[in-house]
Amino acid sequence: MPGLAHYLVLSALLFALGLFAVVTRRNAVTILMGIELMLNAANINLVAFNKFVAPGAMQGQIFALIVITLAACEAAVGLALVLAAYRTLETVYVDEINLMKW
Amino acid sequence: MSGEAIAFYLLAAVTLASAVVVVTTGNIVHAAAALVPSFLGVTGLYILLNAEFVAGIQVLIYAGAITVLILFAIMLTEGGTGLAGRQRNEQAAAGAAVAAAIAILLVAVAGRTTWTPEPGTLPSYTPGAIGQSFLRQNILVFEGTSIVLLVSLMGAIMIARREE
């Protein structure tokens, strides 16, 4: 039966994959995908701790729900910023977005 | 091997394999599509962890809304697969080394730490317990999150709107 350590290892691997996408991708949209993977990894940890360490409290699941809500906010604002940057600078590659003022 | 272990390894394999596709493929539309099985694998893990309500919300928001939002953003910016341009910067080797180091560190810490479970059991019907908790102990968090959601969506509309 999978225990807490199994879930922690899985979420560590998922977090590392997300981090790899964030530091190596050039396209801002794929960087946001990496951030979503990292938030998912954190959520797996929260729910696993809720079940295996503090089963009496619901705080882990509550916190996971709040993280999901804030991830939706982050995706909406992040993608809006990508659209605004694309409209003025005509690129979505973050290494070409290097102007403080247009 | 029990059925739960088989389900765990299958879901973990689906999640990690599609996450590898998300981070490595050069086709950004394929990356966005591969997010869906990754999120659905995490949904299955939530069900294994007795978090049915979180699993439902995960399907609705992540697999449904955020993936579609990302596809919209791809189509509204370059409007293509991204195969024409270079998708990876010059730091691929360094980034892989850092990500591997952090993964090894986290796995080592997770293996060495012993967690002492607190007494108590999960409620048999977690959605009800979550609702009670959101409207009693955690009402301030609930209202604060709803204001953040409202403000950030209004901000997103303001930012993305074409200037007259």
Side-chain angles (χ1 to χ4, degrees):
Chain A
M1 214 174 104
L4 179 59
H6 291 78
Y7 289 97
L8 294 184
V9 168
L10 169 64
S11 99
L13 295 177
L14 195 58
F15 186 87
L17 284 172
L19 182 69
F20 179 67
V22 171
V23 294
T24 61
R25 287 285 193 170
R26 289 177 71 224
N27 192 321
V29 180
T30 39
I31 289 176
L32 283 166
M33 292 185 207
I35 295 174
E36 301 299 338
L37 287 180
M38 290 163 83
L39 287 166
N40 260 287
N43 273 345
I44 294 174
N45 267 5
L46 290 169
V47 178
F49 278 122
N50 191 161
K51 183 180 178 191
F52 291 106
V53 180
M58 295 302 294
Q59 298 300 328
Q61 293 189 22
I62 299 277
F63 214 97
L65 287 170
I66 290 165
V67 170
I68 289 176
T69 315
L70 295 181
C73 298
E74 171 260 344
V77 175
L79 293 171
L81 284 172
V82 173
L83 287 188
Y86 182 72
R87 201 169 294 140
T88 39
L89 304 174
E90 287 173 0
T91 179
V92 287
Y93 295 110
V94 286
D95 48 2
E96 292 166 9
I97 302 175
N98 50 13
L99 296 172
M100 293 289 279
K101 191 164 180 250
W102 182 242
Chain B
M1 204 148 81
S2 68
E4 191 183 343
I6 295 169
F8 173 81
Y9 288 115
L10 274 178
L11 290 168
V14 169
T15 306
L16 289 179
S18 37
V20 167
V21 174
V22 171
V23 302
T24 55
T25 179
N27 185 329
I28 54 176
V29 178
H30 286 182
L35 274 177
V36 175
S38 187
F39 290 155
L40 291 180
V42 176
T43 307
L45 293 171
Y46 289 153
I47 293 172
L48 282 184
L49 288 166
N50 300 95
E52 295 86 3
F53 187 67
V54 184
I57 297 299
Q58 168 93 4
V59 173
L60 285 178
I61 294 185
Y62 268 116
I66 288 183
T67 316
V68 173
L69 198 60
I70 285 174
L71 280 171
F72 262 99
I74 291 171
M75 294 307 160
L76 284 174
T77 52
E78 293 209 307
T81 57
L83 283 173
R86 195 161 50 87
Q87 289 298 325
R88 205 179 296 289
N89 60 19
E90 303 79 31
Q91 312 169 39
V98 167
I102 286 185
I104 290 168
L105 181 75
L106 288 174
V107 169
V109 169
R112 293 165 69 92
T113 315
T114 51
W115 304 92
T116 46
E118 288 189 1
T121 50
L122 273 179
S124 58
Y125 183 61
T126 50
I130 288 171
Q132 297 282 349
S133 180
F134 262 137
L135 289 180
R136 286 185 182 153
Q137 300 99 306
N138 293 310
I139 183 145
L140 189 63
V141 181
F142 182 66
E143 298 295 340
T145 314
S146 61
I147 289 175
V148 171
L149 185 60
L150 176 68
V151 170
S152 69
L153 291 182
M154 284 163 59
I157 294 169
M158 289 296 293
I159 293 168
R161 194 178 59 166
R162 238 176 262 278
E163 281 171 28
E164 303 298 323

